[in-house]
Amino acid sequence: MKDLYYEDHNDVAIIFASIIVEEDLQDILGDTKFLILMNEYITSFDTLINRKEFRTIEKIKVAKWTYMAACGLFPGGKGYQVERHVTSATLETLLSFASNMYKQLYKFNRYYMQNCICHGPIVAGVVGSKKPLYDIWGDPVNMASRMDSTGLANHIQVMEGTADIIQKLGYICDYRGEIYVKGKNGLVKTYFVRLDENYDLVRNFTIIND
């Protein structure tokens, strides 16, 4: 039996990006055409990750029509490991990726997707012997997944701690309010990262410094 392969990471940003599918779309298109269409969407996201500016983003998996990715991982000790980023850099890269995901859908005349982003320490590793899977675990992963059920179309939702870092980077976050998130005691303060009509991130004229 081979030793378990795993990695510890402190500064990782995770995204759950869910394409919102109308209930009757598959019935209208039929199974084959529906699968072809959804494959085009997912493939367009894969193409984004191949761009140089997103090379620190790792696709984790697709669960139904939710695209899961993380920024700040270096599985297998990639050659650019020396570029290990701090949390602010991983968040900024993943925010840009989320913005571009919306732009990709716009090219398909598709307007409905929701993004949820969290950050923090996680563990990554490979599990299984048949079709082994590289996956990630930790509270930020759980929270991004749970917040995905409370997201809104065409919005990037984040928790308060993540919003604080994003605003210090010079981007605007709008307070959404307190929502119930499974696994947390009571309600959790959440924010939407502001996007303009072209799905670009909106900057603040005054960057907040510590």
Side-chain angles (χ1 to χ4, degrees), residues 63-80:
K64 200 172 182 180
W65 307 121
T66 297
Y67 195 95
M68 178 182 173
C71 185
L73 300 172
F74 300 91
K78 287 184 176 179
Y80 50 83

Side-chain angles (χ1 to χ4, degrees), residues 92 95-96 99 103 156 171 193-196 199-203:
E92 190 164 27
L95 281 172
S96 178
S99 168
K103 294 177 183 180
I156 302 172
Y171 302 103
V193 183
R194 190 180 299 181
L195 299 169
D196 64 18
Y199 299 106
D200 286 316
L201 298 163
V202 178
R203 284 190 172 275

